[in-house]
Amino acid sequence: MALDLTADVVDLTAALVDLPSESLHEQQIADDVEAALRALPHLSVVRDGHSIVARTDLGHADRVVIAGHLDTVPVNGNLPSRLDGDVLHGLGTCDMKGGVAVALKLAASVPEPTRDVTYVFYEAEEIAAVHNGLGRLAREHPEWLAGDFAILMEPSRAGVEAGCQGTMRVDISTRGERAHTARAWMGSNAIHALSPVLATLDAYVSREVEIDGLTYREGLNAVAISGGVSGNVVPDAATLTVNFRFAPDRSEEQALAFLHETFAGFDLVVTDSAPGAMPGLSRPAAAAFVEAVGAEVGPKFGWTDVAKFTLLGVPAVNYGPGDPIFAHKADEQVPVADLRSVEDRLRTWLTS
Amino acid sequence: MALDLTADVVDLTAALVDLPSESLHEQQIADDVEAALRALPHLSVVRDGHSIVARTDLGHADRVVIAGHLDTVPVNGNLPSRLDGDVLHGLGTCDMKGGVAVALKLAASVPEPTRDVTYVFYEAEEIAAVHNGLGRLAREHPEWLAGDFAILMEPSRAGVEAGCQGTMRVDISTRGERAHTARAWMGSNAIHALSPVLATLDAYVSREVEIDGLTYREGLNAVAISGGVSGNVVPDAATLTVNFRFAPDRSEEQALAFLHETFAGFDLVVTDSAPGAMPGLSRPAAAAFVEAVGAEVGPKFGWTDVAKFTLLGVPAVNYGPGDPIFAHKADEQVPVADLRSVEDRLRTWLTS
């Protein structure tokens, strides 16, 4: 069924949530979003893979980029969407189909904004950075993302979140020697050899750091573990994957150095890495937006693609409906009030 | 190609090794063994699943059961077989196609043994006990296994190994709460929660116990570990599988009690369990065999199906070619001298 961009933002969010779009499975949602945007005569639309860019070309001096990703993490018993009083529940309501719904509504209903707008809807944000649609656009079509300011509609409780933490994933692998478990002393158990790594993770205390008046809190987590040959065999290999979320005062190199120091003596292989972004609240475009929408400003913990805009030289903030603590959780949800607040404030900013 | 039971025992072992037969994939080897045995007019042959029983019926007062399993653990870069000087290398050479080859040679070349013989070749010994072909025969056709004494041709360095250790597998699962790794403090990491379990395993010191003059050494090993949702999610579940090899002075109940005590506070689910067998060297049939073959006697560490014969009331020992330290290892091997020694001694015993 075609997406109705004239629907209420809550209904539109629900419709998007009910289009399953786990990372790498965005074909249908991208097709539907593209079709809805192509039906709007005031927008010119281009597509690359499952990422879509729609823009006004009114000749304004300023251009703002409004962006959101179409994919979600895997379903966790939280589909279909369900409206319960003032809260919409379901996978992606918070991260970030609520924000996508607001952007689509604005794209359809603000044909003559007072600044030119580039809407970006992209794929594969929730998995390894190599797949990220916005990253590909930045490499292959950087002109599509050009602008004076960017708003990434990641959940921020309808407030402005500035900067973002970096993220790095490393595989920590141990080697042992296989043997029959009945004569285990002839072998060496690679799973047991991960014991000091798990002990370090279990004892980890996160660092907190204040930047531009905002406090960032880091995180160090095992996100996958595997090992084993068969039920009778001392395993000769095991692998633990660790995700490090680091405050934007560390570079990727510094983050890796921290991991080497923390897991000294173990082999680390970096499988994914993305830099953080400093808050940059002192830049004029960011400051002007913050003042115009009148929202509170806080730090962004999650890694978001504001870092990509930062690298392109475009000042960027996160501003979207939903509390990010519900992102990736079974009880993911977005308050209706957040959807309306973000839609109303952005509409006012784009039309005044 | 048909198995040639008149071939030299080394060639026959190599031919069996080169028939891949990972557990649950014994169709071909069982077909070939059955066909070779059915060609022998002095044997009556029956089959159940991929397990084959062939027997002489000469009316002797005594009957001996000679048994071996046809399956192996998964291949580990150790196929095909390779004869290097006096040692045959390859998957299953030791555990236990060397023993199977000896038994097949005797079945073919000793048409009139001085005691009746029941040869048993069975499936699925290397995986969970529920699949074990000998166990199924013991439940469904116990009369096929009747005898006064049983020889299990598991590798024992051409010596007699008495008794066997028990084996138990338990899954230790932890629960946590999912959250985005960028806000890990909102969740609870189930992989980190396995840290005390791994620490216990890493620090484990095996118990040794002496029974009937034989010293048994226990083992406690992680054989599998898994957990993880996606690279951005604090995992809410993780599972570690532990294999406990316990000396035959512990019952299965006592073994489980030990595990509960060792991993106090964690949930254990038993997924596989098989009792040990006391050495039983004082029983006349066992003592007579030991004296006749003139081999040294040691304890059996690995769990073997002697325990099944013990439960059926049939005295049983392990006696086969190959050093069990090579079982399940990449450099699995059997000395040619062991193959010849076990074949010669058993042939002498069966014909004198």
Side-chain angles (χ1 to χ4, degrees):
Chain A
M1 204 172 66
L3 288 173
D4 176 7
L5 303 192
T6 68
D8 180 83
V9 69
V10 179
D11 297 329
L12 182 55
T13 302
L16 291 167
V17 167
D18 294 339
L19 283 174
S21 57
E22 183 178 338
S23 305
L24 303 183
H25 296 85
E26 300 96 339
Q27 172 91 45
Q28 186 188 351
I29 195 169
D31 288 351
D32 290 359
V33 166
E34 181 187 9
L37 292 170
R38 286 199 188 277
L40 301 169
H42 60 278
L43 295 177
S44 58
V45 178
V46 290
R47 174 169 174 166
D48 180 299
H50 297 324
S51 296
I52 296 138
V53 175
R55 46 189 287 154
T56 64
D57 283 297
L58 301 167
H60 290 300
D62 283 349
R63 175 173 293 279
V64 59
V65 181
I66 298 179
H69 63 82
L70 297 173
D71 63 315
T72 69
V73 295
V75 66
N76 186 16
N78 47 9
L79 282 182
S81 62
R82 174 175 57 83
L83 183 64
D84 183 5
D86 293 333
V87 177
L88 183 66
H89 297 262
L91 175 66
T93 46
C94 168
D95 185 15
M96 56 174 289
K97 289 176 173 177
V100 168
V102 169
L104 285 170
K105 280 227 61 170
L106 295 171
S109 59
V110 185
E112 296 193 348
T114 52
R115 36 185 66 79
D116 271 310
V117 185
T118 302
Y119 297 97
V120 181
F121 304 98
Y122 62 100
E123 73 218 78
E125 190 269 351
E126 297 289 6
I127 53 175
V130 65
H131 299 286
N132 187 297
L134 191 66
R136 194 181 63 244
L137 296 184
R139 287 190 304 275
E140 300 181 7
H141 308 282
E143 72 282 6
W144 293 5
L145 304 180
D148 302 284
F149 180 57
I151 301 166
L152 198 60
M153 302 202 63
E154 288 277 355
S156 63
R157 289 167 297 176
V160 174
E161 289 185 339
C164 78
Q165 304 211 122
T167 180
M168 180 171 289
R169 261 183 291 277
V170 295
D171 284 348
I172 303 178
S173 295
T174 50
R175 305 296 307 178
E177 193 185 352
R178 289 191 199 186
H180 195 300
T181 50
R183 291 176 174 266
W185 58 93
M186 303 302 302
S188 167
N189 195 311
I191 295 176
H192 297 190
L194 282 175
S195 177
V197 178
L198 276 194
T200 296
L201 288 167
D202 203 32
Y204 170 79
V205 177
S206 62
R207 183 180 76 116
E208 298 192 2
V209 58
E210 189 174 315
I211 306 170
D212 279 8
L214 308 178
T215 302
Y216 292 88
R217 179 171 174 179
E218 298 186 327
L220 188 66
N221 273 272
V223 292
I225 193 166
S226 63
V229 177
S230 82
N232 284 344
V233 179
V234 174
D236 59 351
T239 299
L240 177 72
T241 303
V242 170
N243 183 210
F244 181 37
R245 300 289 179 140
F246 52 96
D249 64 331
R250 296 198 207 249
S251 66
E252 290 172 277
E253 291 70 25
Q254 290 167 330
L256 181 57
F258 170 79
L259 293 179
H260 276 298
E261 177 188 329
T262 302
F263 301 111
F266 289 87
D267 287 332
L268 309 186
V269 175
V270 176
T271 59
D272 188 43
S273 177
M278 296 291 277
L281 292 176
S282 55
R283 287 179 294 186
F289 171 79
V290 167
E291 187 176 333
V293 301
E296 280 188 42
V297 181
K300 184 69 183 178
F301 290 112
W303 187 86
T304 81
D305 281 326
V306 296
K308 293 202 165 62
F309 287 105
T310 301
L311 290 176
L312 288 172
V314 181
V317 298
N318 296 292
Y319 178 58
D323 189 328
I325 69 164
F326 290 110
H328 302 195
K329 299 193 79 170
D331 59 345
E332 188 169 347
Q333 56 190 260
V334 67
V336 167
D338 276 17
L339 293 169
R340 301 212 186 287
S341 163
V342 173
E343 180 187 356
D344 290 349
R345 293 192 194 192
L346 279 180
R347 182 185 306 282
T348 300
W349 185 57
L350 289 177
T351 55
S352 62
Chain B
M1 205 172 65
L3 289 173
D4 177 7
L5 303 193
T6 69
D8 180 84
V9 68
V10 179
D11 297 329
L12 182 54
T13 302
L16 290 167
V17 167
D18 294 338
L19 283 174
S21 57
E22 184 178 339
S23 305
L24 303 182
H25 296 86
E26 300 97 338
Q27 172 92 46
Q28 186 190 350
I29 195 170
D31 288 351
D32 290 358
V33 165
E34 181 187 10
L37 292 171
R38 285 198 188 276
L40 301 169
H42 60 278
L43 295 176
S44 58
V45 178
V46 290
R47 174 168 174 165
D48 180 299
H50 296 324
S51 297
I52 296 137
V53 176
R55 46 188 288 153
T56 63
D57 283 298
L58 301 167
H60 290 301
D62 284 351
R63 175 173 293 279
V64 58
V65 181
I66 297 178
H69 62 81
L70 297 173
D71 61 317
T72 69
V73 295
V75 67
N76 184 16
N78 46 9
L79 281 184
S81 62
R82 173 175 58 83
L83 182 65
D84 184 2
D86 293 331
V87 176
L88 182 67
H89 297 261
L91 174 66
T93 46
C94 168
D95 186 13
M96 58 178 286
K97 289 177 172 176
V100 168
V102 169
L104 285 170
K105 280 228 61 171
L106 295 171
S109 58
V110 185
E112 295 193 349
T114 53
R115 36 184 63 79
D116 272 311
V117 184
T118 302
Y119 296 96
V120 181
F121 303 98
Y122 61 99
E123 73 218 77
E125 191 268 352
E126 296 290 5
I127 53 175
V130 65
H131 299 286
N132 186 295
L134 191 67
R136 194 181 64 245
L137 296 184
R139 288 191 304 275
E140 300 182 6
H141 308 284
E143 71 282 4
W144 294 5
L145 304 180
D148 300 286
F149 180 56
I151 301 166
L152 199 61
M153 302 203 63
E154 288 276 355
S156 63
R157 289 168 296 176
V160 174
E161 290 186 339
C164 78
Q165 303 211 123
T167 179
M168 181 172 287
R169 262 184 290 278
V170 296
D171 284 348
I172 302 179
S173 295
T174 49
R175 304 296 306 178
E177 192 185 353
R178 288 190 200 187
H180 195 298
T181 49
R183 291 176 175 265
W185 58 91
M186 304 303 300
S188 167
N189 194 312
I191 294 176
H192 297 189
L194 281 175
S195 177
V197 178
L198 276 194
T200 297
L201 287 168
D202 204 32
Y204 169 79
V205 176
S206 62
R207 183 180 75 116
E208 298 192 2
V209 58
E210 189 175 313
I211 306 170
D212 279 9
L214 308 177
T215 301
Y216 291 88
R217 180 170 173 180
E218 298 186 325
L220 189 66
N221 272 274
V223 292
I225 192 166
S226 64
V229 176
S230 81
N232 283 345
V233 179
V234 174
D236 59 351
T239 299
L240 178 71
T241 304
V242 170
N243 183 209
F244 181 36
R245 299 288 178 143
F246 52 96
D249 64 330
R250 296 198 207 250
S251 67
E252 291 172 275
E253 292 69 26
Q254 289 166 333
L256 182 56
F258 169 79
L259 294 178
H260 275 299
E261 178 189 327
T262 301
F263 301 111
F266 289 86
D267 288 331
L268 309 187
V269 175
V270 177
T271 59
D272 188 41
S273 179
M278 296 290 276
L281 292 176
S282 55
R283 287 179 293 184
F289 171 77
V290 168
E291 189 177 331
V293 300
E296 280 188 43
V297 181
K300 183 69 184 178
F301 291 113
W303 186 87
T304 80
D305 281 327
V306 298
K308 292 203 166 61
F309 287 105
T310 302
L311 291 176
L312 288 172
V314 181
V317 297
N318 296 292
Y319 178 57
D323 188 328
I325 69 166
F326 290 110
H328 302 195
K329 298 191 81 171
D331 58 346
E332 188 170 348
Q333 56 189 260
V334 68
V336 167
D338 276 17
L339 294 170
R340 301 213 187 286
S341 163
V342 173
E343 181 188 355
D344 291 348
R345 293 191 194 193
L346 279 179
R347 184 185 304 281
T348 300
W349 185 58
L350 289 176
T351 55
S352 60

